[in-house]
Amino acid sequence: MPAAGLNTFLHEQLTGLKVQGLYKAERHIATPQAAAITVNGRAVVNFCANNYLGLSNHPEIVAAAEDGLKTWGYGLSSVRFICGTQSIHKAAEAQLARFFGKADAILYIACFDANGGLFEPLLGETDAVLSDALNHASIIDGVRLCKAKRLRYAHNDMADLRAKLVEAKDCRFKMIFTDSVFSMDGDLARLADICELADEFDAVVGIDDCHATGHLGATGRGAAEEAGCLDRIDIITGTLGKTLGGGAGGFTVASAEVVDWLRNRSRPYLFSNSVPPSLIAAGMKALDLAETATDLRATLKANAARLRAGLEGAGFTVKPGPTPILPVMLGDATVAAKMSERLLAAGVYVVGFSFPVVPQGQARIRIQVSAAHTVEQIDHAIAAFKTAGRELGVVG
Ligand SMILES: *Cc1c(COP(=O)(O)O)cnc(C)c1O
């Protein structure tokens, strides 16, 4: 067994993770995704899904997926450029482009692939990519694959971004790329300031809008709409796997030329299967629903404000920010782990994050609020946090 050595090595590594409390054990959900679910046999309220508008398993989206399955079949057995493009793929791309006010869109199996296949085809040795230090893993990996000069600027630090743009001033193309919402902290990229700098230095601006599309902005067009600069953003990547129904699927929207070049050169698009039509049909329905979901966005805001006020009133430190991501700062990794265990026992499903996902000494519990949460569920969470926080000496 030549693999025995590898397995022994990995066994030791895994034991090490468990000893350090860094091992990721998965909890088993026995129900569809929703505000109220059953986890490990216990009824709990879910505060850790990216289900911001509560559209996961929305009946109209499920019906659209069923329709898509019946009309277009289960799968294509092909990549897009051979025989994997149906009319529904083109319709979805047109809908996404229209939604964001850009010329065209290209679908991927996931946003991880959209980001993984974005930089390498567009940027070469004589170009530069300027990337926020807290950008998502998929952006980091995508940037690694390209030959451009890589310049990482300190998180949301416009002085540092400017310094990096000066450093890159002789490069042919400069692309600034950032998460629009930073998912561990719940803060927004300073998009208006970034666009100003981009104008000054003649740089392309791209954002990953995964944690914003559908629920941020007056009409759900995401963080750039919220910041009033959607028309100044050149490239947007996003997902159908979060607010937009929670299934799967990624996309990039941009100019006709960028999208056409990606169709010809982006490796995760060229060498990976076509997105199943049921997912596309569901995603299109989700986009329709999100566009007009002013009421859900208002409920989401009210829920987040109520939960934040309740936790701050109880003495917790919640990182400030305008998104439905509420990081409750605890500092110590063990406290964060114990706290999430106690909360789960009290029927509140949240997850603690510690190093290396967040910086050392900044362990936290990340709460994700949904428009599907009731006021009672929010108040129950506040009460459970108070009790667990007192027991662990986090609050008085
Ligand atoms: C979730 C997420 C992704 C990955 O999206 P998938 O469609 O699940 O692959 C990429 N970027 C950011 C910022 C995300 O939050």
Side-chain angles (χ1 to χ4, degrees):
M1 277 276 285
L6 176 62
N7 291 337
T8 306
F9 171 76
L10 292 178
H11 185 81
E12 283 161 11
Q13 295 292 306
L14 287 162
T15 306
L17 289 182
K18 284 173 190 165
V19 169
Q20 295 167 64
L22 298 176
Y23 182 80
K24 290 180 177 37
E26 296 174 359
R27 297 195 175 97
H28 299 180
I29 301 178
T31 54
Q33 189 63 281
I37 56 174
T38 302
V39 178
N40 293 355
R42 179 182 288 123
V44 300
V45 183
N46 193 355
F47 284 96
C48 53
N50 306 305
N51 186 16
Y52 296 112
L53 289 185
L55 295 181
S56 297
N57 295 301
H58 186 287
E60 286 186 50
I61 295 178
V62 174
E66 283 171 350
D67 264 5
L69 185 62
K70 285 189 194 121
T71 308
W72 300 97
Y74 170 64
L76 273 300
S77 299
S78 172
V79 300
R80 287 283 300 273
F81 83 92
I82 299 179
C83 56
T85 299
Q86 292 172 317
S87 314
I88 192 172
H89 293 92
K90 297 313 289 179
E93 286 167 346
Q95 186 184 356
L96 281 164
R98 206 166 50 240
F99 185 74
F100 287 105
K102 306 294 168 201
D104 203 356
I106 172 172
L107 290 163
Y108 291 84
I109 286 286
C111 188
F112 205 102
D113 289 326
N115 289 335
L118 179 68
F119 303 96
E120 187 263 339
L122 297 178
L123 303 173
E125 274 164 24
T126 54
D127 304 320
V129 55
L130 301 98
S131 175
D132 188 287
L134 292 191
N135 274 348
H136 189 262
S138 56
I139 300 170
I140 294 169
D141 285 7
V143 168
R144 274 189 192 138
L145 292 171
C146 83
K147 294 205 170 67
K149 191 180 176 112
R150 296 175 219 158
L151 298 165
R152 204 171 83 130
Y153 61 92
H155 174 54
N156 255 343
D157 184 334
M158 294 300 110
D160 196 31
L161 175 55
R162 170 181 287 279
K164 298 297 189 297
L165 283 164
V166 169
E167 203 178 323
K169 69 177 185 329
D170 296 328
C171 292
R172 182 185 55 164
F173 302 127
K174 298 164 276 288
M175 186 191 291
I176 306 169
F177 202 92
T178 181
D179 277 27
S180 63
V181 170
F182 294 89
S183 61
M184 284 297 144
D185 297 272
D187 59 335
L188 296 178
R190 294 169 58 178
L191 295 182
D193 295 334
I194 289 173
C195 289
E196 286 300 311
L197 283 170
D199 284 351
E200 189 182 332
F201 287 89
D202 192 26
V204 176
V205 180
I207 62 173
D208 173 337
D209 206 46
C210 278
H211 278 279
T213 299
H215 61 278
L216 287 191
T219 60
R221 285 166 169 77
E225 183 185 28
E226 181 95 10
C229 57
L230 185 53
D231 57 334
R232 300 174 73 187
I233 306 288
D234 302 294
I235 299 173
I236 301 173
T237 64
T239 183
L240 304 176
K242 290 186 169 109
T243 302
L244 297 177
F251 55 83
T252 300
V253 297
S255 67
E257 292 80 3
V258 164
V259 170
D260 209 13
W261 188 251
L262 293 174
R263 284 193 206 286
N264 280 275
R265 284 287 191 273
S266 180
R267 292 163 71 85
Y269 181 83
L270 284 169
F271 298 106
S272 189
N273 206 28
S274 179
V275 185
S278 54
L279 290 177
I280 300 295
M284 291 174 77
K285 174 56 77 176
L287 207 57
D288 279 342
L289 292 174
E291 193 167 5
T292 54
T294 314
D295 50 339
L296 292 178
R297 278 186 284 276
T299 306
L300 177 59
K301 271 213 170 97
N303 281 350
R306 186 181 185 94
L307 187 47
R308 176 181 286 279
L311 292 172
E312 288 177 347
F316 287 99
T317 305
V318 187
K319 271 206 173 202
T323 70
I325 296 171
L326 307 186
V328 181
M329 303 307 287
L330 298 166
D332 184 71
T334 326
V335 172
K338 279 191 185 151
M339 185 100 179
S340 63
E341 282 309 320
R342 282 177 194 226
L343 286 164
L344 187 69
V348 176
Y349 189 9
V350 286
V351 173
F353 290 93
S354 50
F355 185 78
V357 180
V358 295
Q360 198 96 45
Q362 292 187 32
R364 67 197 65 182
I365 283 177
R366 179 180 70 172
I367 305 175
Q368 291 176 284
V369 182
S370 171
H373 290 137
T374 63
V375 168
E376 291 71 28
Q377 289 169 333
I378 299 279
D379 290 348
H380 171 66
I382 296 168
F385 261 89
K386 270 188 198 163
T387 306
R390 280 200 197 111
E391 286 169 7
L392 290 168
V394 175
V395 293

